[in-house]
Amino acid sequence: MATELSRPAAEKVKIRLKDSSEKEYPKGCTAFDIARDISQRMAKTAVAARLNGKVVDLNTPIYQNSSLEILTFDDEDGKDVYRHSTAHVLAQAVKNLFPNVKLGIGPPIEDGFYYDFSLPKSFKPEDLEAIEKEMNEIIKKDYQFVRHEMQREDALEFFRKRGEDYKVELINDLPEEEKISLYSQGEFWDLCVGPHLPSTGRIKAVKLLNLAGAYWRGNEKNEMMQRIYGTSFPKKRMLEDYLKRIEEAKKRDHRRLGTQMELFSLKEAGPGFPFFHPKGMVLRIELENFWREEHKKAGYQEIKTPIILNRTLWEQSGHWEHYRENMYFTSIDGEDYAIKPMNCPGAMLVYSSGQHSYREFPLRFAEMGLVHRHELSGVLHGLMRVRAFTQDDAHIFMLPSQIKEEIQSVIALVDRIYKMFNFSYYVELSTKPSNAMGSDDIWEKAITSLKEAMDEKEMEYTVNEGEGAFYGPKIDFHLQDSLGRTWQCGTIQLDFLMPEKFNLTYIGEDGNKHRPVMIHRVIFGSIERFIGILIEHYGGAFPTWISPVQVRILPIAERHLDYAYKIRDEINKYGIRVEVDTRNEKVGYKIRQAQIEKVPYMLVLGDKEKENENVSVRKRKEGDQGSKPLKEFLKIVSKEIKLKVAE
RNA sequence: GCUGAUGUAGCUCAACAGGUAGAGCAGCGCACUCGUAAUGCGCAGGUCGCCGGUUCAAAUCCGGCCAUCAGCUCCA
């Protein structure tokens, strides 16, 4: 094909490249030809191409004037093609080793790929090694990935004959007019839209990571398949770096750090019911104090509602019908009671215990409410997913005309609080679920309000169809843990239904009774989950203002203990959390301990300091800061704490 | 809840092929009195997740349950 390029061809096509330069190529040339024309390096690193906006195989012939971008592993789409092709190699390897396996699907995902298989015997971890070896054989053979298009009936017949029931189901579900495409490499054929790498040999480093069950098509009513996860890279070194990164991330795991730093613990005695230890409590109380300050400033009033309430209330709120599966129950004097899974009904009762005027609106009731939810045993995860947690809740009652502005002010509060910790977050809009109460009209109205509020602020968000609460749509704020898994923290839910159910009213300008609109919202989400995220975000090295121990005094020898205690008492007077390492150890040892425990400030005290009434300051990140008068140190630390400096 | 894996001292992990448990760190004691990431010696610490079975003998083999981990489903 290289010769074709140099041969004068009758017909040419104009190709506009990524740098918006334009060049002519013979009609029918491929993206790969053009990559080769650009540079040797480009030809080597190219994995696929974007032709007029669509990602295609490198060997796709081009017959029309087009815009073309050569994709490499560094492009997100290129990465997907690379991993997707690796998934096909995985499927081929499994098929070679276990010929009676049935294939599910095998897409690329963030950081890798997976493939779902159905096989009577279950894969053992040892099998992964054998499969990986087989994959490397397939890579070595450098099979071409070849695209084939088939008539629907032929494709159905093809997979039926091979006993690939899942593929048959997939084809049957494809729209009538859709072209059916298959890809083959060597003997292996798979239903696939593509695109793919030119050949298996392009895959340079593969690693199978783990094994898990996954329901066919993500539906728990379907049979469970065996999913193999893996990843691949164009360089061995990149794979090693990736694996190292995972290892490092595991060291930041809040469950591990939480134990090490004595923040909290989880016991068999109470699965999903975390125990907070003194140091974890310090962190928690600091967060709550901060939260109270911010909410007072933002015009919220705090309330507290009971944990246990009568069944009739839950019937009224709709929880009995829509949320019973997740609730715990008890009985008192022969009557049914429920342990609250949400705070809203309590807040409704507070609202309805008096008359309200439109002049009070928006009326903001905040509540640190402890809720219990029966989560499935398999989903429990440290502090991130528990069965009892404290929501930093609020219920805001207002006029319909105040919706947009109020939602925007909650969004602003979320943003302000998250920024305190340098969190980056992403936002989802969740719409009407299948078990919802209320009419489509009301839902439509609520969803539109949320959209408008966000669009006006030019926020980026994705829409999560059918994932709203049963009483209203919501805006969700997601934060990431150390492994990049995301957890929903903040949420803003617009509710026209609860006020209806509880017959809430306010007296309007006209002197008549009207129905208020309500917002449910949390910012931390749950204090427990938020603390989990915080631990992983900072790797345990918290900003000074929330550090359980802010200053540790390290006396050099026993004779410096008295001076250490004197300094400690002095620091204590400033409300700074300080402790003395009284152990009879060398200073290097004490420093190591304090470093491991991520104490922000260490004060080394010996003869020199005692003599000059000084302290030697060491910061956990910067190291030795030299010695200075205590007063000066106090000034620096107090200011850092007061301003809540985030590192 | 489902699939797979794991469960031994406060923590991290050993104990080959059944013969009633061992190390490092942490803790405690003693000596050293020390200057910015581990001083030395000694002591103590275990219902081997729980229940049952096989066996002369079970941490080890088998069954049930519980918890944890990864993922699926679900959610703050």
Side-chain angles (χ1 to χ4, degrees):
Chain A
M1 277 197 264
T3 50
E4 272 177 34
L5 276 176
S6 48
R7 201 169 55 202
E11 286 190 84
K12 299 251 183 193
V13 286
K14 272 190 199 157
I15 303 295
R16 176 189 282 271
L17 296 168
K18 195 187 173 188
D19 61 0
S20 43
S21 66
E22 227 173 73
K23 217 170 161 182
E24 288 201 333
Y25 289 95
K27 192 169 181 177
C29 76
T30 68
F32 185 64
D33 294 329
I34 296 170
R36 207 158 33 182
D37 183 52
I38 293 170
S39 72
Q40 199 55 38
R41 193 186 156 78
M42 188 48 107
K44 248 171 107 177
T45 56
V47 301
R50 198 189 324 271
L51 182 66
N52 300 321
K54 196 175 161 234
V55 184
V56 298
D57 293 317
L58 280 175
N59 60 16
T60 308
I62 304 171
Y63 297 110
Q64 280 164 352
N65 294 345
S66 303
S67 72
L68 182 81
E69 185 186 342
I70 304 294
L71 298 175
T72 68
F73 186 81
D74 295 329
D75 300 293
E76 277 315 306
D77 286 329
K79 213 168 263 167
D80 280 353
V81 170
Y82 198 90
R83 263 73 181 263
H84 187 184
S85 296
T86 316
H88 275 229
V89 172
L90 166 60
Q92 182 175 15
V94 170
K95 198 94 194 161
N96 286 353
L97 296 176
F98 307 91
N100 57 338
V101 74
K102 289 186 204 297
L103 303 176
I105 55 165
I109 50 171
E110 176 94 33
D111 288 333
F113 60 89
Y114 67 78
Y115 211 109
D116 287 344
F117 302 97
S118 172
L119 190 68
K121 120 184 180 84
S122 55
F123 293 127
K124 298 275 156 232
E126 304 86 81
D127 293 330
L128 288 192
E129 283 170 44
I131 295 168
E132 204 175 291
K133 220 169 133 201
E134 181 66 17
M135 287 176 77
N136 283 315
E137 288 301 315
I138 293 164
I139 290 168
K140 216 186 284 169
K141 294 208 175 109
D142 198 19
Y143 295 119
Q144 306 269 315
F145 283 94
V146 185
R147 183 183 176 91
H148 312 266
E149 287 183 6
M150 276 194 196
Q151 294 303 319
R152 195 183 189 86
E153 269 317 309
D154 296 340
L156 280 172
E157 180 57 27
F158 180 86
F159 284 111
R160 235 181 251 133
K161 229 166 48 195
R162 296 184 170 217
E164 295 288 4
D165 307 339
Y166 298 98
K167 298 292 175 188
V168 170
E169 185 180 330
L170 288 174
I171 296 172
N172 279 327
D173 285 356
L174 285 174
E176 209 53 64
E177 64 284 1
E178 186 102 348
K179 255 193 231 161
I180 310 283
S181 64
L182 287 80
Y183 274 78
S184 68
Q185 78 254 22
E187 298 295 297
F188 177 81
W189 289 64
D190 197 356
L191 174 73
C192 185
V193 288
H196 280 286
L197 294 173
S199 66
T200 60
R202 290 301 197 94
I203 299 162
K204 297 301 180 195
V206 194
K207 175 98 184 147
L208 296 183
L209 297 168
N210 43 43
L211 205 50
Y215 300 108
W216 169 238
R217 306 191 115 179
N219 187 335
E220 64 179 323
K221 300 220 166 53
N222 291 342
E223 64 270 50
M224 183 158 275
M225 312 205 44
Q226 302 188 60
R227 178 171 295 178
I228 297 178
Y229 284 91
T231 191
S232 61
F233 291 91
K235 288 200 176 114
K236 282 243 159 36
R237 182 60 200 268
M238 290 168 85
L239 174 62
E240 285 160 19
D241 287 348
Y242 171 75
L243 295 174
K244 220 177 280 168
R245 245 194 355 266
I246 301 269
E247 279 311 304
E248 287 304 311
K250 282 185 182 154
K251 286 187 192 150
R252 294 210 309 274
D253 190 311
H254 76 286
R255 293 166 296 190
R256 183 187 168 119
L257 285 172
T259 312
Q260 263 171 25
M261 300 177 78
E262 297 171 6
L263 301 175
F264 66 91
S265 61
L266 290 152
K267 309 277 175 200
E268 280 202 24
F273 302 123
F275 292 71
F276 275 79
H277 294 209
K279 285 180 177 162
M281 240 4 238
V282 168
L283 188 59
R284 186 172 171 137
I285 289 166
E286 284 297 341
L287 289 174
E288 289 180 2
N289 289 344
F290 167 59
W291 182 89
R292 290 211 161 84
E293 278 166 37
E294 287 296 322
H295 282 72
K296 240 178 262 171
K297 276 192 269 175
Y300 286 76
Q301 299 168 276
E302 194 167 348
I303 62 170
K304 182 71 91 187
T305 70
I307 305 248
I308 300 178
L309 291 163
N310 195 286
R311 166 177 172 165
T312 52
L313 179 79
W314 301 106
E315 285 171 344
Q316 190 179 1
S317 68
H319 285 83
W320 189 266
E321 190 183 340
H322 297 275
Y323 208 72
R324 199 173 355 167
E325 302 288 286
N326 287 296
M327 292 167 68
Y328 296 115
F329 301 95
T330 185
S331 83
I332 301 174
D333 293 340
E335 286 219 39
D336 289 340
Y337 280 77
I339 303 173
K340 69 175 174 184
M342 294 187 195
N343 303 302
C344 31
M348 309 300 285
L349 294 188
V350 173
Y351 179 92
S352 61
S353 60
Q355 223 177 37
H356 295 282
S357 151
Y358 75 95
R359 291 168 187 274
E360 298 170 59
F361 286 177
L363 179 62
R364 307 182 183 94
F365 285 157
E367 173 175 16
M368 282 279 179
L370 173 61
V371 298
H372 289 72
R373 295 183 186 174
H374 180 70
E375 301 292 344
L376 295 178
S377 58
V379 307
L380 300 179
H381 184 94
L383 289 183
M384 304 293 199
R385 192 76 184 271
V386 292
R387 286 177 171 156
F389 54 99
T390 304
Q391 291 186 303
D392 62 319
D393 219 339
H395 295 91
I396 303 171
F397 303 91
M398 60 197 176
L399 304 171
S401 62
Q402 293 171 321
I403 292 175
K404 193 169 71 188
E405 198 183 333
E406 189 59 21
I407 284 172
Q408 288 175 341
S409 80
V410 175
I411 290 172
L413 188 58
V414 172
D415 188 64
R416 183 155 78 245
I417 289 180
Y418 286 7
K419 287 250 167 74
M420 283 300 295
F421 305 99
N422 292 331
F423 282 142
S424 53
Y425 56 87
Y426 89 93
V427 180
E428 268 183 11
L429 174 67
S430 297
T431 60
K432 190 177 182 185
S434 51
N435 75 336
M437 46 184 207
S439 70
D440 285 350
D441 277 2
I442 284 195
W443 275 84
E444 203 41 55
K445 201 166 124 198
I447 290 167
T448 308
S449 303
L450 293 179
K451 272 189 181 153
E452 275 176 14
M454 287 197 286
D455 290 342
E456 205 167 281
K457 290 198 125 193
E458 294 182 349
M459 286 168 64
E460 270 186 47
Y461 60 90
T462 55
V463 176
N464 204 1
E465 294 292 349
E467 297 296 321
F470 69 84
Y471 45 76
K474 51 186 193 153
I475 299 173
D476 296 327
F477 296 80
H478 294 250
L479 298 174
Q480 280 193 347
D481 71 11
S482 61
L483 284 171
R485 293 175 291 208
T486 71
W487 299 90
Q488 185 188 314
C489 289
T491 174
I492 305 172
Q493 312 176 346
L494 185 57
D495 184 355
F496 294 99
L497 296 167
M498 285 288 166
E500 191 82 38
K501 294 252 170 202
F502 283 83
N503 193 25
L504 300 191
T505 57
Y506 66 89
I507 310 295
E509 235 175 324
D510 56 5
N512 295 324
K513 283 188 177 178
H514 300 275
R515 185 79 68 216
V517 182
M518 188 170 82
I519 290 175
H520 312 238
R521 47 110 284 184
V522 290
I523 293 180
F524 293 146
S526 92
I527 307 267
E528 290 76 6
R529 179 177 286 183
F530 198 78
I531 288 175
I533 297 275
L534 267 182
I535 294 170
E536 304 203 352
H537 177 68
Y538 287 112
F542 301 112
T544 307
W545 70 280
I546 48 171
S547 282
V549 178
Q550 294 167 318
V551 179
R552 180 168 294 161
I553 295 173
L554 315 176
I556 285 176
E558 272 172 0
R559 66 172 181 281
H560 306 118
L561 270 176
D562 283 346
Y563 182 58
Y565 290 139
K566 191 182 145 202
I567 295 291
R568 177 194 64 190
D569 294 345
E570 206 54 40
I571 294 175
N572 234 330
K573 283 184 199 156
Y574 284 73
I576 294 168
R577 296 183 286 273
V578 57
E579 58 183 36
V580 182
D581 189 340
T582 59
R583 292 175 304 178
N584 195 2
E585 294 287 352
K586 289 189 171 177
V587 74
Y589 179 87
K590 297 180 186 179
I591 286 172
R592 185 180 148 82
Q593 282 301 309
Q595 287 288 153
I596 289 170
E597 288 170 44
K598 319 239 164 44
V599 177
Y601 287 97
M602 288 157 249
L603 297 181
V604 177
L605 302 184
D607 290 333
K608 278 184 271 174
E609 289 74 19
K610 193 173 170 182
E611 201 175 309
N612 307 315
E613 290 274 307
N614 271 358
V615 293
S616 249
V617 180
R618 184 188 165 96
K619 288 185 83 171
R620 79 185 151 202
K621 288 199 179 124
E622 291 88 342
D624 196 353
Q625 306 284 292
S627 100
K628 52 187 61 149
L630 177 65
K631 280 259 149 31
E632 204 180 304
F633 170 73
L634 283 169
K635 225 169 111 184
I636 295 169
V637 179
S638 302
K639 194 174 164 199
E640 186 182 330
I641 292 170
K642 186 155 179 264
L643 295 177
K644 301 187 167 58
V645 175
E647 285 172 53

